[in-house]
Amino acid sequence: MLATTCNVEQLTDSLVRDRIVCGMCDDNLRENLLKVANSDLDKCIEACRATELTKEKRTFVAERIDVTLRMAPIIMHVINRGCM
């Protein structure tokens, strides 16, 4: 790691955290992390993981809703025919 080879071990976590924050594509997450005073590397990583998990869950739910909405007319047709 660049921070380790530069003999700044005491600043490694801070430098890595700053690099993560500055390099991320999610503007909202970056802004939230910059608002937190004294945020350490572990908190930064935790926030990134939580955001990623939230995005995955949101995608999963959206896909389930999409399937449900596409299936609704078929289900209603079956119900109306008395097949259930």
Coordinates of all heavy atoms in Angstrom, one line a residue:
M1 N 0.8 -1.2 0.0 CA 0.0 0.0 0.0 C 0.9 1.2 0.0 O 1.9 1.3 0.7 CB -0.9 0.0 1.2 CG -2.3 0.5 1.0 SD -3.3 0.5 2.5 CE -3.8 -1.2 2.6
L2 N 0.5 2.2 -0.8 CA 1.3 3.4 -0.9 C 1.6 4.1 0.4 O 2.7 4.5 0.7 CB 0.6 4.4 -1.9 CG 1.4 5.7 -2.1 CD1 2.7 5.4 -2.8 CD2 0.6 6.6 -3.0
A3 N 0.5 4.2 1.3 CA 0.7 4.8 2.6 C 1.7 4.1 3.4 O 2.5 4.8 4.2 CB -0.6 4.9 3.3
T4 N 1.8 2.8 3.4 CA 2.8 2.1 4.2 C 4.2 2.3 3.7 O 5.1 2.5 4.5 CB 2.5 0.6 4.1 OG1 1.1 0.4 4.6 CG2 3.4 -0.2 5.0
T5 N 4.4 2.3 2.4 CA 5.8 2.5 1.9 C 6.3 3.9 2.0 O 7.5 4.1 1.9 CB 5.8 2.1 0.4 OG1 4.9 2.9 -0.4 CG2 5.4 0.6 0.1
C6 N 5.5 4.8 2.3 CA 5.9 6.2 2.5 C 6.3 6.5 4.0 O 6.4 7.7 4.3 CB 4.9 7.2 2.0 SG 4.6 7.1 0.3
N7 N 6.3 5.5 4.8 CA 6.6 5.7 6.2 C 5.7 6.6 7.0 O 6.1 7.4 7.8 CB 8.1 6.1 6.4 CG 9.1 5.1 6.0 OD1 8.8 3.9 6.2 ND2 10.2 5.5 5.4
V8 N 4.5 6.5 6.7 CA 3.4 7.3 7.4 C 2.4 6.3 8.0 O 1.2 6.6 7.8 CB 2.8 8.3 6.5 CG1 3.8 9.4 6.1 CG2 2.2 7.7 5.2
E9 N 2.9 5.3 8.6 CA 2.0 4.3 9.2 C 0.9 4.8 10.0 O -0.3 4.4 10.0 CB 2.7 3.2 10.0 CG 3.6 2.3 9.1 CD 4.9 2.8 8.7 OE1 5.3 3.9 9.3 OE2 5.6 2.2 7.9
Q10 N 1.2 5.9 10.8 CA 0.2 6.5 11.7 C -0.9 7.2 10.9 O -2.0 7.4 11.4 CB 0.8 7.4 12.7 CG 1.5 8.7 12.1 CD 2.9 8.5 11.6 OE1 3.4 7.4 11.4 NE2 3.6 9.6 11.4
L11 N -0.7 7.5 9.7 CA -1.7 8.2 8.8 C -2.3 7.2 7.8 O -3.2 7.7 7.1 CB -1.0 9.3 8.1 CG -0.5 10.5 8.9 CD1 0.1 11.5 8.0 CD2 -1.6 11.1 9.7
T12 N -1.9 6.0 7.8 CA -2.4 5.0 6.8 C -3.9 5.0 6.8 O -4.5 5.1 5.7 CB -1.9 3.6 7.1 OG1 -0.4 3.7 7.0 CG2 -2.4 2.6 6.1
D13 N -4.6 4.8 7.9 CA -6.0 4.7 7.9 C -6.7 5.9 7.4 O -7.6 5.9 6.6 CB -6.6 4.3 9.3 CG -6.4 2.9 9.7 OD1 -5.9 2.1 8.9 OD2 -6.8 2.6 10.8
S14 N -6.2 7.1 7.8 CA -6.7 8.3 7.4 C -6.6 8.5 5.8 O -7.5 9.0 5.2 CB -6.1 9.5 8.1 OG -6.6 10.7 7.7
L15 N -5.4 8.2 5.4 CA -5.1 8.4 3.9 C -5.9 7.4 3.1 O -6.5 7.8 2.0 CB -3.6 8.1 3.6 CG -2.7 9.2 4.2 CD1 -1.2 8.8 4.1 CD2 -2.9 10.6 3.6
V16 N -6.1 6.2 3.5 CA -6.9 5.2 2.8 C -8.3 5.6 2.8 O -9.0 5.6 1.8 CB -6.7 3.8 3.4 CG1 -7.7 2.8 2.8 CG2 -5.3 3.3 3.2
R17 N -8.8 6.1 4.0 CA -10.2 6.5 4.1 C -10.4 7.7 3.1 O -11.4 7.7 2.3 CB -10.5 7.0 5.5 CG -11.9 7.6 5.6 CD -12.0 8.6 6.8 NE -13.2 9.3 6.8 CZ -13.5 10.4 6.1 NH1 -12.6 10.9 5.3 NH2 -14.7 10.9 6.2
D18 N -9.5 8.7 3.1 CA -9.6 9.8 2.2 C -9.6 9.4 0.7 O -10.4 9.9 -0.1 CB -8.5 10.8 2.4 CG -8.7 11.5 3.8 OD1 -9.7 11.4 4.4 OD2 -7.7 12.2 4.2
R19 N -8.8 8.4 0.4 CA -8.7 7.9 -1.0 C -10.0 7.2 -1.4 O -10.5 7.4 -2.5 CB -7.6 6.9 -1.1 CG -7.3 6.5 -2.5 CD -6.7 7.6 -3.3 NE -6.4 7.1 -4.6 CZ -6.9 7.7 -5.7 NH1 -7.6 8.8 -5.7 NH2 -6.7 7.1 -6.9
I20 N -10.6 6.5 -0.5 CA -11.9 5.8 -0.7 C -13.0 6.9 -1.0 O -13.7 6.8 -1.9 CB -12.3 4.9 0.4 CG1 -11.4 3.7 0.5 CG2 -13.8 4.4 0.3 CD1 -11.6 2.8 1.7
V21 N -13.0 7.8 -0.1 CA -14.1 8.9 -0.1 C -13.9 9.7 -1.4 O -14.9 9.9 -2.2 CB -14.0 9.8 1.1 CG1 -15.0 11.0 0.9 CG2 -14.4 9.0 2.4
C22 N -12.7 10.1 -1.7 CA -12.5 10.9 -2.9 C -12.7 10.2 -4.2 O -13.1 10.7 -5.2 CB -11.1 11.5 -2.9 SG -10.9 12.7 -1.6
G23 N -12.5 8.9 -4.2 CA -12.6 8.1 -5.4 C -14.0 7.4 -5.7 O -14.2 6.8 -6.7
M24 N -14.9 7.6 -4.7 CA -16.2 6.9 -4.9 C -17.1 7.6 -5.9 O -17.0 8.8 -6.1 CB -16.9 6.7 -3.6 CG -17.3 7.9 -2.9 SD -18.2 7.6 -1.3 CE -17.2 6.4 -0.5
C25 N -17.9 6.8 -6.6 CA -18.8 7.3 -7.6 C -20.2 7.8 -7.0 O -20.9 8.6 -7.6 CB -19.2 6.3 -8.6 SG -17.7 5.7 -9.5
D26 N -20.5 7.4 -5.8 CA -21.7 7.7 -5.1 C -21.6 9.1 -4.4 O -21.0 9.2 -3.4 CB -22.1 6.7 -4.1 CG -23.5 6.8 -3.6 OD1 -24.0 8.0 -3.4 OD2 -24.2 5.8 -3.3
D27 N -22.1 10.1 -5.1 CA -22.0 11.5 -4.6 C -22.7 11.7 -3.2 O -22.2 12.3 -2.3 CB -22.6 12.5 -5.5 CG -21.8 12.6 -6.8 OD1 -20.5 12.3 -6.8 OD2 -22.3 13.0 -7.8
N28 N -23.8 11.0 -3.0 CA -24.6 11.1 -1.8 C -23.8 10.5 -0.6 O -23.7 11.1 0.5 CB -25.9 10.5 -1.8 CG -26.9 11.2 -2.8 OD1 -26.8 12.4 -2.9 ND2 -27.7 10.5 -3.4
L29 N -23.2 9.3 -0.8 CA -22.4 8.7 0.2 C -21.2 9.5 0.5 O -20.8 9.7 1.7 CB -22.0 7.3 -0.2 CG -21.1 6.5 0.7 CD1 -21.8 6.4 2.1 CD2 -20.8 5.1 0.2
R30 N -20.5 10.0 -0.5 CA -19.3 10.8 -0.3 C -19.7 12.1 0.5 O -19.0 12.4 1.5 CB -18.7 11.3 -1.6 CG -17.5 12.2 -1.4 CD -16.9 12.8 -2.7 NE -16.8 11.9 -3.8 CZ -17.5 11.9 -4.9 NH1 -18.4 12.9 -5.1 NH2 -17.3 11.1 -5.9
E31 N -20.8 12.7 0.2 CA -21.2 13.9 1.0 C -21.5 13.5 2.4 O -21.1 14.2 3.4 CB -22.4 14.5 0.3 CG -22.9 15.8 1.0 CD -24.1 16.4 0.3 OE1 -24.2 16.2 -0.9 OE2 -24.8 17.1 1.0
N32 N -22.2 12.4 2.6 CA -22.5 12.0 4.0 C -21.2 11.6 4.8 O -21.1 12.0 6.0 CB -23.4 10.8 4.0 CG -24.8 11.1 3.6 OD1 -25.2 12.3 3.7 ND2 -25.5 10.2 3.1
L33 N -20.3 11.0 4.2 CA -19.0 10.7 4.9 C -18.2 11.9 5.2 O -17.5 12.0 6.2 CB -18.2 9.7 4.0 CG -18.7 8.3 3.9 CD1 -17.9 7.5 2.9 CD2 -18.7 7.6 5.3
L34 N -18.2 12.9 4.3 CA -17.5 14.1 4.6 C -18.1 15.0 5.7 O -17.5 15.7 6.3 CB -17.4 14.9 3.3 CG -16.5 14.4 2.2 CD1 -16.6 15.1 0.9 CD2 -15.0 14.3 2.7
K35 N -19.4 14.8 5.9 CA -20.1 15.5 7.0 C -19.7 14.9 8.4 O -19.8 15.7 9.3 CB -21.6 15.3 6.8 CG -22.2 16.2 5.7 CD -23.7 15.9 5.6 CE -24.3 16.6 4.4 NZ -25.7 16.3 4.3
V36 N -19.3 13.7 8.4 CA -19.1 13.1 9.7 C -17.7 13.5 10.2 O -16.7 13.2 9.5 CB -19.1 11.5 9.6 CG1 -18.8 10.9 10.9 CG2 -20.5 11.1 9.2
A37 N -17.6 14.1 11.3 CA -16.3 14.5 11.9 C -15.6 13.3 12.5 O -16.3 12.5 13.1 CB -16.5 15.6 12.9
N38 N -14.3 13.2 12.3 CA -13.5 12.2 12.9 C -14.0 10.8 12.5 O -13.9 9.8 13.2 CB -13.5 12.2 14.5 CG -13.0 13.6 14.9 OD1 -12.1 14.1 14.4 ND2 -13.6 14.1 16.0
S39 N -14.5 10.7 11.3 CA -14.8 9.4 10.7 C -13.6 8.6 10.4 O -12.7 9.0 9.7 CB -15.7 9.5 9.5 OG -16.0 8.3 8.9
D40 N -13.5 7.4 11.0 CA -12.3 6.6 10.7 C -12.5 5.6 9.6 O -13.6 5.5 9.0 CB -11.8 5.8 12.0 CG -12.9 4.8 12.5 OD1 -13.9 4.6 11.8 OD2 -12.7 4.4 13.6
L41 N -11.5 4.9 9.2 CA -11.5 3.9 8.1 C -12.6 2.9 8.3 O -13.4 2.6 7.4 CB -10.2 3.3 7.9 CG -10.1 2.3 6.7 CD1 -10.4 2.9 5.4 CD2 -8.7 1.7 6.7
D42 N -12.7 2.3 9.5 CA -13.7 1.3 9.7 C -15.1 1.8 9.5 O -15.9 1.1 8.9 CB -13.5 0.7 11.2 CG -12.3 -0.1 11.3 OD1 -11.8 -0.6 10.3 OD2 -11.8 -0.2 12.5
K43 N -15.4 3.0 10.0 CA -16.7 3.6 9.8 C -17.0 3.8 8.3 O -18.1 3.7 7.8 CB -16.9 4.9 10.6 CG -16.9 4.6 12.1 CD -17.0 6.0 12.8 CE -17.0 5.7 14.3 NZ -17.0 7.0 15.1
C44 N -16.0 4.3 7.6 CA -16.1 4.5 6.2 C -16.4 3.2 5.4 O -17.3 3.2 4.6 CB -14.8 5.1 5.7 SG -14.8 5.4 3.9
I45 N -15.7 2.2 5.7 CA -15.9 0.9 5.1 C -17.3 0.4 5.4 O -18.0 -0.1 4.6 CB -14.8 -0.1 5.5 CG1 -13.5 0.3 4.9 CG2 -15.2 -1.5 5.1 CD1 -12.3 -0.5 5.4
E46 N -17.7 0.5 6.7 CA -19.0 0.1 7.1 C -20.1 0.8 6.4 O -21.1 0.2 5.9 CB -19.2 0.3 8.6 CG -20.5 -0.2 9.2 CD -20.5 0.0 10.7 OE1 -19.5 -0.1 11.4 OE2 -21.6 0.4 11.2
A47 N -20.0 2.1 6.2 CA -21.0 2.9 5.5 C -21.0 2.5 4.0 O -22.1 2.4 3.4 CB -20.6 4.4 5.6
C48 N -19.9 2.2 3.4 CA -19.8 1.8 2.0 C -20.5 0.4 1.8 O -21.3 0.2 0.9 CB -18.4 1.7 1.5 SG -17.6 3.3 1.4
R49 N -20.3 -0.5 2.8 CA -20.9 -1.8 2.7 C -22.4 -1.7 2.9 O -23.2 -2.3 2.2 CB -20.3 -2.7 3.7 CG -18.9 -3.2 3.4 CD -18.4 -4.1 4.4 NE -17.0 -4.6 4.0 CZ -16.1 -5.0 4.8 NH1 -16.3 -5.1 6.1 NH2 -15.0 -5.5 4.3
A50 N -22.8 -0.8 3.8 CA -24.3 -0.7 4.1 C -25.0 -0.1 2.9 O -26.1 -0.5 2.5 CB -24.5 0.2 5.3
T51 N -24.3 0.9 2.2 CA -24.9 1.5 1.1 C -25.0 0.5 -0.1 O -26.0 0.4 -0.8 CB -24.0 2.7 0.6 OG1 -24.0 3.7 1.7 CG2 -24.6 3.3 -0.7
E52 N -24.0 -0.3 -0.3 CA -24.0 -1.3 -1.3 C -25.1 -2.4 -1.0 O -25.8 -2.8 -1.9 CB -22.6 -2.0 -1.4 CG -22.5 -2.9 -2.6 CD -22.6 -2.1 -3.9 OE1 -22.2 -1.0 -4.0 OE2 -23.0 -2.7 -4.9
L53 N -25.2 -2.8 0.2 CA -26.3 -3.8 0.6 C -27.7 -3.2 0.3 O -28.6 -3.8 -0.2 CB -26.1 -4.2 2.0 CG -27.1 -5.2 2.5 CD1 -26.9 -6.5 1.7 CD2 -26.8 -5.5 4.0
T54 N -27.8 -1.9 0.7 CA -29.1 -1.2 0.5 C -29.5 -1.2 -1.0 O -30.6 -1.4 -1.4 CB -29.1 0.2 1.0 OG1 -28.8 0.1 2.4 CG2 -30.4 0.9 0.8
K55 N -28.5 -0.9 -1.9 CA -28.7 -0.9 -3.3 C -29.1 -2.2 -3.8 O -30.0 -2.4 -4.7 CB -27.5 -0.4 -4.0 CG -27.2 1.1 -3.9 CD -25.9 1.5 -4.6 CE -25.6 3.0 -4.4 NZ -24.4 3.4 -5.0
E56 N -28.4 -3.3 -3.3 CA -28.8 -4.6 -3.8 C -30.2 -5.0 -3.3 O -30.9 -5.6 -4.1 CB -27.8 -5.6 -3.2 CG -26.4 -5.6 -3.8 CD -25.4 -6.4 -3.0 OE1 -25.8 -7.3 -2.2 OE2 -24.2 -6.3 -3.4
K57 N -30.6 -4.7 -2.1 CA -31.9 -5.0 -1.6 C -33.0 -4.2 -2.4 O -34.0 -4.7 -2.8 CB -32.0 -4.6 -0.1 CG -31.4 -5.6 0.7 CD -31.6 -5.2 2.2 CE -30.9 -6.2 3.1 NZ -31.0 -5.9 4.5
R58 N -32.7 -2.9 -2.7 CA -33.6 -2.1 -3.5 C -33.8 -2.7 -4.9 O -34.9 -2.7 -5.4 CB -33.0 -0.7 -3.6 CG -34.0 0.3 -4.2 CD -33.5 1.7 -4.2 NE -32.2 1.8 -3.6 CZ -31.4 2.8 -3.6 NH1 -31.8 3.9 -4.2 NH2 -30.2 2.9 -3.0
T59 N -32.7 -3.1 -5.5 CA -32.8 -3.8 -6.8 C -33.6 -5.0 -6.8 O -34.5 -5.3 -7.6 CB -31.4 -4.1 -7.4 OG1 -30.7 -2.9 -7.5 CG2 -31.5 -4.8 -8.7
F60 N -33.4 -5.9 -5.7 CA -34.1 -7.1 -5.6 C -35.6 -6.8 -5.4 O -36.5 -7.5 -6.0 CB -33.6 -7.9 -4.3 CG -34.4 -9.1 -4.0 CD1 -34.2 -10.2 -4.8 CD2 -35.3 -9.1 -2.9 CE1 -34.9 -11.4 -4.5 CE2 -36.0 -10.3 -2.6 CZ -35.8 -11.4 -3.4
V61 N -36.0 -5.9 -4.6 CA -37.4 -5.5 -4.3 C -38.0 -5.0 -5.6 O -39.1 -5.4 -6.0 CB -37.5 -4.5 -3.2 CG1 -38.9 -4.0 -3.1 CG2 -37.1 -5.2 -1.9
A62 N -37.3 -4.1 -6.3 CA -37.8 -3.6 -7.6 C -38.1 -4.7 -8.6 O -39.1 -4.7 -9.3 CB -36.9 -2.6 -8.1
E63 N -37.2 -5.7 -8.7 CA -37.4 -6.8 -9.6 C -38.6 -7.6 -9.2 O -39.4 -8.1 -10.0 CB -36.1 -7.7 -9.6 CG -35.0 -7.0 -10.3 CD -33.7 -7.7 -10.2 OE1 -33.6 -8.7 -9.5 OE2 -32.7 -7.3 -10.8
R64 N -38.8 -7.8 -7.9 CA -39.9 -8.6 -7.4 C -41.2 -7.9 -7.7 O -42.2 -8.5 -8.1 CB -39.8 -8.9 -5.9 CG -38.7 -9.7 -5.5 CD -38.9 -11.1 -5.3 NE -40.1 -11.5 -4.8 CZ -40.3 -12.2 -3.6 NH1 -39.3 -12.4 -2.9 NH2 -41.5 -12.5 -3.2
I65 N -41.2 -6.6 -7.5 CA -42.4 -5.8 -7.8 C -42.7 -5.8 -9.3 O -43.9 -6.0 -9.7 CB -42.3 -4.3 -7.4 CG1 -42.3 -4.3 -5.8 CG2 -43.3 -3.4 -8.0 CD1 -41.9 -2.9 -5.3
D66 N -41.7 -5.7 -10.2 CA -41.9 -5.8 -11.6 C -42.5 -7.1 -12.0 O -43.4 -7.2 -12.8 CB -40.5 -5.6 -12.3 CG -40.7 -5.6 -13.8 OD1 -41.5 -4.8 -14.3 OD2 -40.0 -6.3 -14.5
V67 N -42.0 -8.2 -11.5 CA -42.5 -9.6 -11.8 C -44.0 -9.7 -11.3 O -44.9 -10.2 -12.1 CB -41.7 -10.7 -11.1 CG1 -42.4 -12.0 -11.2 CG2 -40.3 -10.7 -11.8
T68 N -44.3 -9.2 -10.1 CA -45.6 -9.2 -9.6 C -46.6 -8.4 -10.5 O -47.7 -8.9 -10.8 CB -45.7 -8.7 -8.2 OG1 -44.8 -9.4 -7.4 CG2 -47.1 -8.7 -7.6
L69 N -46.2 -7.2 -10.9 CA -47.0 -6.4 -11.8 C -47.2 -7.1 -13.1 O -48.3 -7.0 -13.7 CB -46.4 -5.0 -11.9 CG -46.4 -4.1 -10.7 CD1 -45.7 -2.8 -10.9 CD2 -47.9 -3.9 -10.2
R70 N -46.2 -7.7 -13.7 CA -46.4 -8.4 -14.9 C -47.3 -9.6 -14.8 O -48.0 -10.0 -15.7 CB -45.0 -8.8 -15.5 CG -44.3 -7.6 -16.1 CD -43.0 -8.0 -16.8 NE -42.0 -8.3 -15.9 CZ -41.2 -9.3 -15.9 NH1 -41.3 -10.2 -16.9 NH2 -40.3 -9.6 -15.0
M71 N -47.3 -10.3 -13.7 CA -48.1 -11.5 -13.4 C -49.5 -11.2 -13.0 O -50.4 -12.0 -13.2 CB -47.4 -12.3 -12.4 CG -46.1 -12.9 -12.8 SD -46.2 -14.1 -14.2 CE -47.2 -15.4 -13.5
A72 N -49.8 -10.0 -12.6 CA -51.1 -9.6 -12.1 C -52.2 -9.9 -13.1 O -53.2 -10.5 -12.7 CB -51.1 -8.2 -11.6
P73 N -52.1 -9.5 -14.3 CA -53.2 -9.8 -15.3 C -53.4 -11.3 -15.4 O -54.6 -11.7 -15.6 CB -52.7 -9.1 -16.6 CG -51.7 -8.1 -16.2 CD -51.1 -8.6 -14.9
I74 N -52.4 -12.0 -15.4 CA -52.5 -13.5 -15.6 C -53.2 -14.1 -14.4 O -54.1 -14.9 -14.5 CB -51.1 -14.1 -15.8 CG1 -50.5 -13.6 -17.1 CG2 -51.2 -15.6 -15.8 CD1 -49.1 -13.9 -17.3
I75 N -52.8 -13.6 -13.2 CA -53.4 -14.1 -12.0 C -54.9 -13.7 -11.9 O -55.8 -14.6 -11.6 CB -52.7 -13.6 -10.8 CG1 -51.3 -14.2 -10.7 CG2 -53.4 -13.9 -9.5 CD1 -50.3 -13.5 -9.7
M76 N -55.2 -12.5 -12.3 CA -56.6 -12.1 -12.3 C -57.4 -12.9 -13.3 O -58.6 -13.2 -13.1 CB -56.7 -10.6 -12.6 CG -56.1 -9.7 -11.5 SD -56.8 -10.0 -9.9 CE -58.5 -9.6 -10.1
H77 N -56.8 -13.2 -14.4 CA -57.6 -14.0 -15.5 C -57.9 -15.4 -14.9 O -59.0 -15.9 -15.1 CB -56.7 -14.1 -16.7 CG -57.3 -14.9 -17.8 ND1 -58.4 -14.5 -18.5 CD2 -57.0 -16.1 -18.2 CE1 -58.7 -15.4 -19.4 NE2 -57.9 -16.4 -19.2
V78 N -56.9 -16.0 -14.3 CA -57.1 -17.3 -13.7 C -58.2 -17.3 -12.6 O -59.0 -18.1 -12.5 CB -55.8 -17.9 -13.1 CG1 -56.0 -19.1 -12.3 CG2 -54.8 -18.1 -14.3
I79 N -58.1 -16.2 -11.7 CA -59.1 -16.1 -10.7 C -60.5 -15.9 -11.2 O -61.5 -16.5 -10.8 CB -58.7 -14.9 -9.7 CG1 -57.4 -15.3 -8.9 CG2 -59.9 -14.6 -8.8 CD1 -56.9 -14.1 -8.1
N80 N -60.6 -15.0 -12.2 CA -61.9 -14.8 -12.8 C -62.5 -16.0 -13.5 O -63.7 -16.1 -13.6 CB -61.8 -13.6 -13.8 CG -61.6 -12.3 -13.1 OD1 -62.0 -12.1 -11.9 ND2 -61.0 -11.3 -13.7
R81 N -61.7 -16.8 -14.0 CA -62.2 -18.1 -14.7 C -62.6 -19.1 -13.7 O -63.1 -20.1 -14.1 CB -61.1 -18.6 -15.6 CG -60.9 -17.7 -16.9 CD -60.0 -18.3 -17.9 NE -60.4 -19.6 -18.3 CZ -59.6 -20.5 -18.8 NH1 -58.4 -20.3 -18.9 NH2 -60.1 -21.7 -19.2
G82 N -62.2 -18.9 -12.4 CA -62.6 -19.8 -11.4 C -61.6 -21.0 -11.4 O -62.0 -22.1 -10.9
C83 N -60.4 -20.8 -11.8 CA -59.5 -21.9 -11.9 C -58.7 -22.1 -10.6 O -58.0 -23.1 -10.4 CB -58.5 -21.7 -13.0 SG -59.2 -21.7 -14.6
M84 N -58.9 -21.3 -9.6 CA -58.2 -21.4 -8.4 C -59.1 -21.8 -7.3 O -60.3 -21.6 -7.2 CB -57.5 -20.1 -8.0 CG -56.3 -19.8 -8.9 SD -55.4 -18.4 -8.3 CE -54.0 -19.2 -7.7

